Amino acid sequence: MMQSAGKRLVSRVALRGARHSIAKSATQLSAKPLALAKAVPSARSVHTTAPALQVKQTAEWYRTETRGDYARLSEADIEHFKTILPENGLVTDVEDIEMFNTDWMRKFRGQTQLVLKPTSAEQVSKILSYCNDKKLAVVPQGGNTGLVGGSVPLYDEIILSLSNMNKVRSFDNVSGILVADAGVILEAADMYLAEQGFMFPLDLGAKGSCHIGGNVATNAGGLRLLRYGSLHGSVLGLEVVLANGKVVNMLSKLRKDNTGYDLKQLFIGSEGTLGVITAVSILCPQRPAAKNVAYLAVESYEKVQQAFIAAKKDLGEILSAFELMDGRSQGWVQQHCDLTRPVDTESPFFILIETAGSNKEHDDAKLEAFLEDVMEQEIVCDGVVASDETQFQNLWAWRERITEVIGKEGGVYKYDISIPLPQLYNIVDDLRAVFESKDMISKTDASKPVVDVIGYGHVGDGNLHLNIMTREYSERISQVLEPWIYEWVSKVHGSISAEHGLGLIKKHFIQYSKDEDNVYLMKQLKNAYDPNHILNPYKYI
Amino acid sequence: MMQSAGKRLVSRVALRGARHSIAKSATQLSAKPLALAKAVPSARSVHTTAPALQVKQTAEWYRTETRGDYARLSEADIEHFKTILPENGLVTDVEDIEMFNTDWMRKFRGQTQLVLKPTSAEQVSKILSYCNDKKLAVVPQGGNTGLVGGSVPLYDEIILSLSNMNKVRSFDNVSGILVADAGVILEAADMYLAEQGFMFPLDLGAKGSCHIGGNVATNAGGLRLLRYGSLHGSVLGLEVVLANGKVVNMLSKLRKDNTGYDLKQLFIGSEGTLGVITAVSILCPQRPAAKNVAYLAVESYEKVQQAFIAAKKDLGEILSAFELMDGRSQGWVQQHCDLTRPVDTESPFFILIETAGSNKEHDDAKLEAFLEDVMEQEIVCDGVVASDETQFQNLWAWRERITEVIGKEGGVYKYDISIPLPQLYNIVDDLRAVFESKDMISKTDASKPVVDVIGYGHVGDGNLHLNIMTREYSERISQVLEPWIYEWVSKVHGSISAEHGLGLIKKHFIQYSKDEDNVYLMKQLKNAYDPNHILNPYKYI
């Protein structure tokens, strides 16, 4: 169990005769008991809105891609798939199918008439081999929690759902190497590992629904990349079925293996366009014995950066997350959630800092030193430290529930960008100024199309989530946003998609982050691995 | 400066009234002051043996590959290269060229008549474009410290040395992102970073000579992969010149960028067969404020594994190396080096444990807890803890100088294998038994071809260096070793090359670690990137 770190920190600070200003801030830290709200469900599972059938079909409004020269599904095809899969492995019912056709944001909706749910790589192989021969297009689908329209069809592509491939294949509790089917849900994998004292090296808001195979296919980054690194480093092996049905076994359980090109890397982040990932081998770190979470108010973006430098120095190897939430994002969480604000102070910026380590006493001491540092230097003006698991969850809710609450006013345009740290937040202010100059933004005036522009994200990774809250999606707003945002990002040599990927809606903007030579080489790979382009067509590249 | 951790640990243990057995062990720890030997040069720079010209040409004894249908170097070619490079950019003098033709082990010697030393990617581009048109074969060469014959020609391939591309291009001291030319020496890069409070996320014995570009091209692992992970995770970007001369800019300075296939990954570990790496962008961790090194005697391999589990538990996030050296390897270091043994106890196994953290006091406490744990449980029977930088270097010398000393008896057959932890050391005993059964091994009897079989390596990564010390290289020994070793490794699903790569001598054994499908996909890539096969021919794949 977590101890009451908040209280202990205060008494220690006092004990050391810290200067008045610190002691005062420290008192404030303890003076704010956090609301003991009910367990917060994963951000993306609490959505309750219109049924899928009411969502507009993507092809009605996204007219950039016309239907390719693929075969149309026939009764004979369905009969063939019935010879590969058991009866419950095919979904054809119009209503049942819509949850697969529609993405979780209810922004994208495809027109598939068939969902296939194989239970083994061999079945995937038979399906793809047949589709490749018949030129039937296929969308591989994991938990369908993507944000760029990559996991649902645009037209009538067959959906290949990995959801029935959901077994752990092996776990070695000395090396920490897990081998599991692609369709294992991230949270389930992490809970399995928790029982053995380990953790999955990735965590993100959609953990209750997303699949580890989908995480790898989209090279998900998430909340703790800062500490546990990219999947390119932690994934040790993959089992992949190519478009032609060939099952490629790259499912190494070794940390080191320099025998040839590291082919598996190509599939990490390829969004199902080169092959279908059916299993993952991944190196999992030990679950930390101690955790701390602090939620701090910071008066300027300049000071956010100073706090980051101080955190790296004082918290060193135990820093596991450094998240930024702007004041506006926290206002929306307050408005829509049954949560008591962690601090009363109004502030343009808040940061959430997490530590994870093997020794509670040491971690508390390091956090205390950090807090003394940032308070003494007036980098941080207010804050609170979680003192038990419930408070821990509550503080994280102020970060994790942003995605959910900002959708409640209408449509949200989501951008996920990498920008060098010094300029990271500038784009939010700049974009707001653009909307203001065009008199298009107001929180209260319903005649203005834009409600708010907010920024939050993973400062430690140089990754900002830029979100434009609107009263409804409109061409007028789109035209302000694009290519303005992409040009802004390109000018500072950023990435137009830090972790969300390209999917359908970023495909045609890749040139803002990758030059012609790179795109040429990517197309060369696509043609080599999927010459008929049956895998996740209309997307990525 | 490092404090005297050894002494402090003892007094603390005593203070806490530890049981007699621990106190006794602890006393032993402090009772052995380490020899203050001179600064130990990097293992691979102290070799002084026969001049390069006396080394047999590889093609004389390695007859597996016949010379390909490449053009032969002409005077006109040399004249052309003079128009690309300044005068000192060409090496043609017979004596000067031999250090490039011969590898550091003096095992492999090529027959090149020309070494080119470009200073920019543009010059590399012009060279490769010309060579590709003329079908002149090229060997890209970094620090030439490889162990598999990958960095020198087999026949008369032109050597493209990156040694004159040795500038740091940029460093961001907030994000820790370094961009540097491929030819920067690893130790120079690390010293540059040290001045800014950072470190290179890779360290290995050859650091005084090897290039960071070569490290990336061979996906070097080294001493601290356990802590800082694989280069596939830490390399953020590359500048690469393809065989056709195209300079591909993948030199991202972003931690996150999900815009298309992660092409740079293909070049990491490709050993110069897909393109020439001319610059590297890499994420560097902060330099730890505190370090500790412990050298411990362990009575069995079973206990080595127990010590590893205890280290992961007690040292957690500060564990930065866990190295195994068998007793025989330590005997050879003692015989050939002017070093006092860290512990008197004879033991079949020794481990070297390093911690790196941000807080000396916390790290000492964690190490103390670990030592109490392993001594109390009698996992460790003797040991010593370094208490200053000199002792720190001295303890590491017992690991790092093995490579050097074992070459002093004659030829060394080197195998670098990944094996699941429980079986890791078995192969050493099994191989020794094979030589004994054939009456081929004796430390003293000069009529036996084999002197010793030793094992050491990176236990934390499941990586064993299996070395067969012989009186001279012979067909008879080779026939015992291969395919016996590869079959042994293949049976336990290990890797026949954990970190050394394939190069020339492992090329034909890839099937023991990769199946036909994988090899097919690799060849497909090679053909796509280098259709004329001018890059590092006869090797890899």
Side-chain angles (χ1 to χ4, degrees), chain B residues 303-530:
Chain B
K303 290 189 173 182
V304 169
Q305 294 176 72
Q306 291 168 10
F308 181 53
I309 292 169
K312 293 220 296 181
K313 182 176 77 63
D314 294 332
L315 302 174
E317 63 277 6
I318 64 166
L319 181 64
S320 58
F322 190 104
E323 298 284 308
L324 170 72
M325 298 83 67
D326 67 6
R328 294 173 193 275
S329 72
Q330 300 303 274
W332 290 109
V333 174
Q334 181 168 28
Q335 184 164 328
H336 290 290
C337 299
D338 180 24
L339 290 169
T340 307
R341 274 193 94 124
V343 296
D344 284 336
T345 312
E346 283 297 335
S347 184
F349 297 101
F350 295 87
I351 53 180
L352 187 149
I353 290 175
E354 186 191 80
T355 68
S358 58
N359 184 306
K360 178 71 180 153
E361 195 185 320
H362 294 169
D363 292 6
D364 287 355
K366 288 188 177 91
L367 183 60
E368 182 187 358
F370 166 73
L371 292 173
E372 278 186 30
D373 235 22
V374 290
M375 292 190 294
E376 200 159 345
Q377 293 179 59
E378 294 180 358
I379 294 169
V380 157
C381 56
D382 197 358
V384 65
V385 178
S387 55
D388 62 30
E389 183 64 28
T390 310
Q391 292 186 8
F392 179 99
Q393 297 286 348
N394 265 290
L395 289 185
W396 264 111
W398 286 88
R399 164 66 182 84
E400 291 201 277
R401 296 189 73 175
I402 297 172
T403 319
E404 166 205 347
V405 299
I406 59 176
K408 291 192 186 288
E409 304 294 315
V412 179
Y413 290 84
K414 303 181 83 67
Y415 295 88
D416 163 47
I417 51 193
S418 279
I419 297 178
L421 208 57
Q423 294 113 309
L424 188 78
Y425 196 78
N426 296 2
I427 193 170
V428 183
D429 292 332
D430 287 0
L431 181 58
R432 169 176 296 278
V434 169
F435 281 121
E436 278 167 356
S437 74
K438 294 177 189 292
D439 197 23
M440 286 173 69
I441 184 167
S442 169
K443 247 181 121 162
T444 48
D445 181 350
S447 73
K448 313 290 182 204
V450 178
V451 180
D452 210 350
V453 179
I454 66 163
Y456 60 97
H458 318 294
V459 170
D461 315 325
N463 179 191
L464 180 82
H465 296 313
L466 169 64
N467 284 256
I468 299 90
M469 298 167 60
T470 67
R471 297 198 158 81
E472 61 178 359
Y473 295 116
S474 80
E475 197 51 35
R476 193 175 157 217
I477 299 172
S478 301
Q479 281 173 2
V480 174
L481 296 174
E482 297 178 14
W484 187 93
I485 290 173
Y486 299 134
E487 284 172 355
W488 200 104
V489 171
S490 185
K491 244 179 270 169
V492 296
H493 306 290
S495 169
I496 64 148
S497 189
E499 58 179 12
H500 292 175
L502 294 168
L504 185 69
I505 50 165
K506 303 285 166 71
K507 172 185 174 179
H508 292 286
F509 302 103
I510 189 172
Q511 75 276 8
Y512 288 102
S513 286
K514 294 287 158 70
D515 67 17
E516 266 180 33
D517 298 334
N518 276 275
V519 173
Y520 171 83
L521 292 172
M522 291 180 197
K523 288 189 171 165
Q524 185 185 35
L525 278 175
K526 172 70 179 173
N527 291 332
Y529 279 86
D530 179 20

Side-chain angles (χ1 to χ4, degrees), chain A residues 380-496:
Chain A
V380 157
C381 56
D382 198 358
V384 66
V385 177
S387 54
D388 61 31
E389 184 63 27
T390 309
Q391 292 186 9
F392 180 99
Q393 297 284 351
N394 266 290
L395 290 185
W396 263 112
W398 287 88
R399 165 65 183 84
E400 290 201 277
R401 296 188 73 175
I402 298 172
T403 318
E404 165 205 346
V405 300
I406 59 176
K408 291 190 185 289
E409 303 295 313
V412 179
Y413 290 85
K414 304 181 84 66
Y415 295 89
D416 163 47
I417 51 193
S418 279
I419 298 178
L421 208 58
Q423 293 114 309
L424 188 78
Y425 196 79
N426 296 1
I427 193 169
V428 183
D429 293 332
D430 288 0
L431 181 59
R432 169 175 296 277
V434 170
F435 281 122
E436 278 167 357
S437 74
K438 294 178 190 293
D439 197 22
M440 286 172 71
I441 184 167
S442 168
K443 246 182 119 160
T444 49
D445 181 349
S447 73
K448 312 292 182 203
V450 178
V451 180
D452 209 349
V453 179
I454 66 162
Y456 59 98
H458 319 294
V459 170
D461 315 325
N463 180 189
L464 181 81
H465 296 315
L466 170 63
N467 285 257
I468 299 90
M469 298 166 60
T470 67
R471 296 198 159 80
E472 62 177 358
Y473 295 117
S474 80
E475 198 51 35
R476 192 176 159 216
I477 299 172
S478 300
Q479 280 173 2
V480 174
L481 296 174
E482 296 177 15
W484 187 93
I485 290 173
Y486 298 134
E487 283 172 356
W488 199 105
V489 171
S490 186
K491 245 179 268 169
V492 297
H493 305 290
S495 169
I496 63 148

